[in-house]
Amino acid sequence: MAHFETEAIHAERGLATRYGAVGVPIFQTSTFRLDHPGTDAEWVYARASNPTRAALETSLATLEGGAWAVAFASGMAATSAVGALLAPGDHIVATDDLYGGSFRLFRTLLGRHGVTVTFADTSSLDALSAALSDSTRLVFVETPSNPLLRLTPLHALCKVVHEHGALVCVDNTFATPYLQRPLELGADLVVHSTTKYLGGHSDLLGGAVVGSSPELHDQISLFQRGYGAVPGPLDCFLVLRGIKTLAVRLDRQCATTAALAAYLRARPEVAEVRYPGVEGTGSELGSELAGQMRAGGAMLSLRLCGGPAAAERFVSSLELFTLAMSLGGVESLCEVPARMTHAVLQDSECAVPEDLVRLSIGLEHEDDLIADVARALDLLGRA
Ligand SMILES: Cc1ncc(COP(=O)(O)O)c(C=O)c1O
């Protein structure tokens, strides 16, 4: 593989050259003309395959270091395809600090089909081992986790889980393959919400599953064709375009986020800053984890001394940060997970602190973002 930045531009090569196009064309068609009756042609019907989608899948497989990628209509459709690998009686262990939609899928939707789940702090191998049972077939990890940004040591975890005979799937949405490549650390599958950093501009929904095993590919691509939650060609094109600038975007976004984390830690109104690399948050990059991630990412969470009311006042006072669900775009966003992205967890053992604020740091200038946060904290101090 060439350097990440080079593959991000060229990994989909081949497809477009047939037409002389430098960019990948958007094949806006639902079906394809066949030379003879049958289903053996490369392009038959767009739910089964589409050249723009194939180009995206090639790019994602290359960047994650996998043998294949299968694209879906959303991150949840991709995670659902991984869940569909399980049969009644199977057990999942999942990170206890994870996206609310994944919690609902594992607990409620798969629960209806006889699949059980235990949520555990996968950053601790002891907690993980205690959660494994004879029927555990899948360990699903978010690292950094959403929204507490805890880190799980993937290499060590994969060893334990594989000895137990189960599969490891990592949701790599927060890190992206630019910062972390779970397949190289032993994971069997990676899922993405391409809606986030890979698209990068808050203008599409998409997802993907990436892996190396041919057997898993056959099953996941059957779910893609069979359940039909496929991304349209325009959305595939937009993800491909976003990927080309992922490395430069993230270099800047990670640097700004680290600066913002340092600023917030020095403010008396802030009780806790959670950002990979910040000591005392459970998100420290220890010697093993330092090799796992290239940088700490562009998400950070904080807790305010004034509790949930202060959290609400803080997000309402920010001007450059838009109060909105989602993350990973060029524009900075803020939210209160307990009331928004993670509301579905609040009556469960995975409830997140009600005073937690989550920030997604975009590409605005660092000084302007710090000034915005400083002003909102000053207002809190005066209240
Ligand atoms: C870590 C993580 N995984 C998966 C998803 C689901 O992605 P989508 O909204 O594209 O279905 C999200 C959405 O916020 C997320 O934050």
Side-chain angles (χ1 to χ4, degrees), residues 181-192:
R181 291 164 40 105
L183 297 177
E184 289 174 355
L185 298 165
D188 302 284
L189 294 168
V190 162
V191 294
H192 274 287

Side-chain angles (χ1 to χ4, degrees), residues 256-321:
T256 306
T257 311
L260 204 58
Y263 176 79
L264 286 166
R265 285 184 81 200
R267 289 288 306 224
E269 302 85 351
V270 178
E272 185 184 7
V273 175
R274 304 194 62 90
Y275 179 63
V278 171
E279 279 171 35
T281 63
S283 282
E284 298 92 336
L285 291 169
S287 54
E288 186 186 5
L289 289 173
Q292 182 168 307
M293 284 182 78
R294 186 196 288 252
M299 298 297 297
L300 80 76
S301 296
L302 63 143
R303 298 178 75 176
L304 292 159
C305 298
E312 183 157 348
R313 272 207 309 282
F314 176 69
V315 295
S316 309
S317 312
L318 290 168
E319 287 177 0
L320 279 180
F321 288 81

Side-chain angles (χ1 to χ4, degrees), residues 73-79 98-102 140 142 144-146 171-174 191-196 204-207 325-327 341-342 358:
S74 68
M76 284 320 303
T79 308
L98 84 173
Y99 172 56
S102 303
F140 185 90
E142 264 190 28
S145 62
N146 178 6
D171 185 333
N172 206 25
T173 298
F174 270 32
V191 294
H192 274 287
S193 167
T194 56
T195 312
K196 312 294 184 328
L204 64 96
L205 271 185
M325 307 236 200
S326 205
L327 58 115
T341 47
H342 292 68
R358 192 187 75 179

Side-chain angles (χ1 to χ4, degrees), residues 102-121:
S102 303
F103 172 89
R104 183 176 48 204
L105 170 71
F106 297 147
R107 168 73 35 96
T108 309
L109 299 177
L110 292 180
R112 287 184 194 158
H113 298 282
V115 174
T116 54
V117 59
T118 302
F119 295 99
D121 176 3

